[in-house]
Each structure stands twice: as C-alpha cells, then as structure tokens.
C-alpha cells in the first residue's frame, strides 16, 4: 500500500513537470510569433515609408523635344529658340509666348513655323522667327547667319527687321518677295533686291477697289528708290466673280 502511494505521487509529479514544460513551450512559441509579427510589421512599414519617400523624391520633368527643321534641331520655349546643328548650339533669346499659343491652336509644334532660308543669297542659312501665325501678314524677327562666328552665329538682322514681316526668297533671281493684305481685295506686292547690304525696292503692284472695279497699279523704282507708275490694270471677273485675268487701263 505504501509503495503504491509512493508510485502514485511520483506519477502526479511527472505529469506536473510535463505540463509545465508544454506550457512553457507554448508561451515561448506565442512570444516568438508575436515578436516576429511585430518585426514583420515594422519591416513592411519601413519598406512602405522608403517606397513613398522615393516616390516623392523622384522629379518629374516636362521636357520639350527638339524638332528637326531644314537640317537643324529646333526647340521653341517661351523665352527663346534653341538651335543646334552639328557641333554648335545657340539659344536665341526672344519672347515666343504668342507663337507657342498660336501653334497650340493649330495643334502643331511652334518650330514648324520657323522659316530657315538664305534671305541674302550669300550661301548661308538665315532665320525668321514669327511673332504669331494665322494672319495674312506674318510679323516676326529676322536673324542672319554670320559665318565668321564660331559660336552663336545667328545675329539679329536690323535691315530686314525694318520690314518686320515674312518675305519669300527667290534664289534663282536673288530677290525677295513681300506680300501684304489689308482685305480680301486690297493687296500690296513688293520685290526687293540687295544693294551693298541694303534692301532696294525693284517693283511694286498695288491692288485696290475703285468704285466697282478692282485696279492694279504697277510701279518701278530707280536706283535712288524713286517710285514711278508704269502701268494700270483692271481685274476681269466672271459671272460668279471668279478671277479670269487682267486688262490694261489707259493712264491719265
């Protein structure tokens, strides 16, 4: 009986020890899981904060690409025009805000409207930057190419800027054609040539309404720039006012 009780007490003690070991293991596991959970959350938060910080820190730039035009790379910004070709790069300072606004209304790049041509027939490209577009007479600024300059070769052109409107270069005859329109009928055409670096008018046609007739006065200029009326023409119109040609009118 005494041996039985002793063995029973030993069994109960062993069960208590095993229970304590199991509970300790369980609590330790829970503690580790909680610590791991907190650690994982901290890591995720750290990664999230780092990602958000990197996202905010990354700059977003609005880059306007260069537009190819007549062998040049041109970019128009509100404060001027950047031109590059080969080894040279030049920023022409000019207010281009109106040109950009007009080009946006056409859904076009403003560089598309810059005219590159040899306006003085010296074999080098020159440039006309319009102030605005969409008008019969296109105002703007001329720049000539100075071949003696190794940098910033385009210089403002005072002679052509006295005209201040776009002209067309006729390289075959080495003359410039200027056209101005005041209305659907009123037009003025002038042909210029270069004389010792100065612009000299050669001839002019002035079209206007006279009562019910459309007349065209033709002028010529001498070497001093004196204007002489040499011919007058009348427009010949069809039944639907289509243009059929002209006929000479006697000068009085």
């Amino acid at each position: 009986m005494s041996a039985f009780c002793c063995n029973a007490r030993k069994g109960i003690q062993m069960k208590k020890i095993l229970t304590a070991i199991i509970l300790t293991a369980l609590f330790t596991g829970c503690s580790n899981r909680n610590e791991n959970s907190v650690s994982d959350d901290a890591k995720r938060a750290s990664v999230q904060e780092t990602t958000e910080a990197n996202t905010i820190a990354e700059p977003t730039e609005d880059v306007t690409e260069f537009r190819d035009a007549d062998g040049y790379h041109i970019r128009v910004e509100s404060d001027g025009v950047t031109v590059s070709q080969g080894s040279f790069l030049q920023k022409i300072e000019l207010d281009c805000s109106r040109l950009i606004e007009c080009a946006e209304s056409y859904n076009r790049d403003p560089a598309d409207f810059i005219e590159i041509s040899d306006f003085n027939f010296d074999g080098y490209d020159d440039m006309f930057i319009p102030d605005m577009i969409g008008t019969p007479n296109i105002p703007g600024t001329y720049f000539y190419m100075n071949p003696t300059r190794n940098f910033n070769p385009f210089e403002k052109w005072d002679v052509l800027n006295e005209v201040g409107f776009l002209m067309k270069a006729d390289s075959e005859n080495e003359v410039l054609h200027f056209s101005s329109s005041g209305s659907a009928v009123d037009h003025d055409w002038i042909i210029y040539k270069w004389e010792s670096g100065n612009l000299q008018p050669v001839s002019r046609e002035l079209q206007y309404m006279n009562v019910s007739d459309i007349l065209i006065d033709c002028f010529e200029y001498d070497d001093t720039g004196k204007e002489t009326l040499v011919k007058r023409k009348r427009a010949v119109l069809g039944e639907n006012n289509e243009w059929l040609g002209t006929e000479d009118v006697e000068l009085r």
Side-chain angles (χ1 to χ4, degrees):
M1 182 71 178
S2 175
F4 175 80
C5 290
C6 183
N7 291 334
R9 282 196 296 269
K10 288 181 180 180
I12 292 171
Q13 289 177 353
M14 289 296 296
K15 288 182 180 179
K16 289 181 178 180
I17 292 171
L18 290 174
T19 301
I21 292 172
I22 293 170
L23 290 175
T24 300
L26 288 174
F27 284 129
T28 301
C30 290
S31 175
N32 289 337
R33 282 196 297 272
N34 289 335
E35 289 177 359
N36 291 336
S37 178
V38 171
S39 177
D40 291 342
D41 290 342
K43 289 180 180 179
R44 283 194 293 270
S46 177
V47 171
Q48 183 176 359
E49 289 174 0
T50 303
T51 303
E52 290 176 353
N54 289 337
T55 302
I56 295 171
E58 290 178 355
T60 56
E61 297 180 358
D62 184 12
V63 178
T64 304
E65 297 294 335
F66 281 89
R67 176 61 60 91
D68 291 337
D70 298 309
Y72 292 87
H73 303 292
I74 299 176
R75 181 172 65 199
V76 180
E77 298 168 298
S78 59
D79 61 345
V81 175
T82 302
V83 185
S84 71
Q85 184 194 55
S87 61
F88 90 83
L89 177 70
Q90 178 178 356
K91 175 67 175 287
I92 300 173
E93 295 184 358
L94 193 68
D95 183 3
C96 297
S97 53
R98 283 209 297 175
L99 171 60
I100 294 174
E101 183 180 352
C102 291
E104 286 176 351
S105 67
Y106 286 91
N107 197 25
R108 298 268 302 276
D109 190 298
D112 293 342
F113 300 96
I114 292 178
E115 188 81 14
I116 295 178
S117 184
D118 185 4
F119 289 105
N120 58 354
F121 315 109
D122 63 350
Y124 297 95
D125 289 329
D126 308 304
M127 183 180 302
F128 175 83
I129 302 176
D131 181 52
M132 60 184 301
I133 55 178
T135 62
N137 314 312
I138 301 177
T141 306
Y142 285 92
F143 296 86
Y144 70 94
M145 172 76 79
N146 186 344
T148 65
R149 295 180 63 91
N150 294 325
F151 61 94
N152 295 343
F154 286 104
E155 298 185 26
K156 189 171 286 189
W157 206 341
D158 293 338
V159 175
L160 289 188
N161 287 330
E162 289 182 3
V163 177
F165 294 94
L166 177 61
M167 293 186 286
K168 294 297 182 182
D170 180 355
S171 58
E172 182 177 351
N173 299 300
E174 294 193 351
V175 294
L176 297 176
H177 294 264
F178 170 73
S179 175
S180 175
S181 300
S183 68
V185 173
D186 297 329
H187 297 282
D188 194 0
W189 297 276
I190 304 177
I191 296 178
Y192 291 96
K193 66 178 181 179
W194 289 99
E195 289 287 348
S196 302
N198 295 314
L199 211 55
Q200 175 71 35
V202 177
S203 62
R204 178 187 182 193
E205 289 190 358
L206 180 64
Q207 178 177 293
Y208 58 96
M209 178 69 73
N210 180 33
V211 188
S212 59
D213 290 329
I214 298 176
L215 299 181
I216 304 170
D217 288 348
C218 303
F219 301 89
E220 290 183 356
Y221 297 85
D222 61 19
D223 293 338
T224 66
K226 181 181 177 180
E227 183 182 76
T228 302
L229 177 62
V230 295
K231 182 185 292 187
R232 177 168 290 154
K233 299 182 289 185
R234 178 189 295 113
V236 178
L237 305 178
E239 294 181 357
N240 298 317
N241 288 327
E242 68 273 20
W243 189 278
L244 299 180
T246 62
E247 59 184 12
D248 292 343
V249 176
E250 183 180 356
L251 293 175
R252 297 179 183 176

